[in-house]
Amino acid sequence: MRKISLFIAMSLDGYIAKPNDDLTFLKLVEKAGEDYGYGEFTDTIDTLIIGRRTYDYVLKNVGLSHYDNGQRDVYVITRTERPQVGRTTFYTGNLTELVKRLKSEKGKNIYCDGGAEVINELLKHNLIDEFIISIVPILLGNGTRLFKDGRPEQTLEFIKVKTFETGLTQLHYKRQK
């Protein structure tokens, strides 16, 4: 069975975005030639699940090919129906059912890149198998929290930690079954 992995960055105090979906704090750890394992990670996936607000931000600031590179299926979780674009599907159905279906199909692993609503819905149903969380050395004090209240307790198993000269620390855990 395929696994679903969260690969995401957050501030030391647990925020994945500043107010108004502002991700500029991520620039603090930008370094030429350093992708923090993102390329290696994305080689292991062929499907991506992302919330619409995160998708729109990346589309505007990075470009469509960041997600839909022609090599993977992209599911944008949204409440508004839109026509499919390339391999990008705007999904308005039940997220839990989608993930269970995708996990049962053949293929590489599945990548969840946020946002917080999508992540926390998956956590409520114990559907995230692996957590790769990069900690950016900043205290934001406000914004969008990665982990929200109201989800079940989940025990994680430590895999590894990596540190980088920019101050970023990357934690890798898997969910205990």
Side-chain angles (χ1 to χ4, degrees):
M1 181 177 275
R2 301 163 77 186
K3 69 181 174 183
I4 186 164
S5 300
L6 176 64
F7 189 105
I8 199 162
M10 71 177 190
S11 65
L12 182 60
D13 54 349
Y15 295 99
I16 58 172
K18 291 165 58 171
N20 301 313
D21 299 327
D22 181 353
L23 301 177
T24 56
F25 76 98
L26 297 174
K27 294 184 185 305
L28 290 171
V29 293
E30 282 185 358
K31 181 181 174 191
E34 179 61 76
D35 76 349
Y36 299 105
Y38 184 77
E40 181 182 344
F41 170 76
T42 57
D43 286 345
T44 69
I45 61 113
D46 65 3
T47 305
L48 177 89
I49 295 172
I50 186 166
R52 196 241 347 125
R53 286 178 21 209
T54 304
Y55 174 81
D56 286 348
Y57 180 91
V58 171
L59 190 67
K60 177 182 171 192
N61 293 287
V62 181
L64 178 63
S65 64
H66 181 72
Y67 289 131
D68 187 352
N69 63 3
Q71 304 298 309
R72 55 184 166 239
D73 295 319
V74 179
Y75 291 89
V76 179
I77 309 307
T78 181
R79 291 180 184 90
T80 307
E81 289 192 25
R82 290 165 57 177
Q84 184 168 329
V85 177
R87 290 181 69 173
T88 301
T89 300
F90 296 90
Y91 185 80
T92 59
N94 182 294
L95 176 60
T96 303
E97 290 174 11
L98 171 66
V99 169
K100 287 179 179 178
R101 177 177 59 83
L102 292 172
K103 286 177 107 175
S104 71
E105 294 174 350
K106 290 186 187 276
K108 292 182 175 181
N109 291 323
I110 305 161
Y111 168 28
C112 179
D113 188 28
E117 287 183 43
V118 172
I119 293 165
N120 284 280
E121 184 65 22
L122 295 174
L123 287 170
K124 283 180 187 175
H125 299 282
N126 221 16
L127 291 171
I128 298 177
D129 302 297
E130 178 181 52
F131 299 78
I132 301 168
I133 301 172
S134 296
I135 309 297
V136 179
I138 187 170
L139 299 170
L140 294 178
N142 196 3
T144 303
R145 285 205 163 276
L146 174 56
F147 300 115
K148 302 203 183 284
D149 293 339
R151 62 188 152 61
E153 181 178 301
Q154 295 177 33
T155 304
L156 306 178
E157 180 181 326
F158 174 76
I159 303 297
K160 66 182 173 183
V161 64
K162 290 173 82 174
T163 57
F164 299 85
E165 62 182 50
T166 60
L168 183 137
T169 301
Q170 192 171 75
L171 306 170
H172 187 170
Y173 295 92
K174 71 178 182 178
R175 178 175 46 93
Q176 287 186 344
K177 305 274 186 202

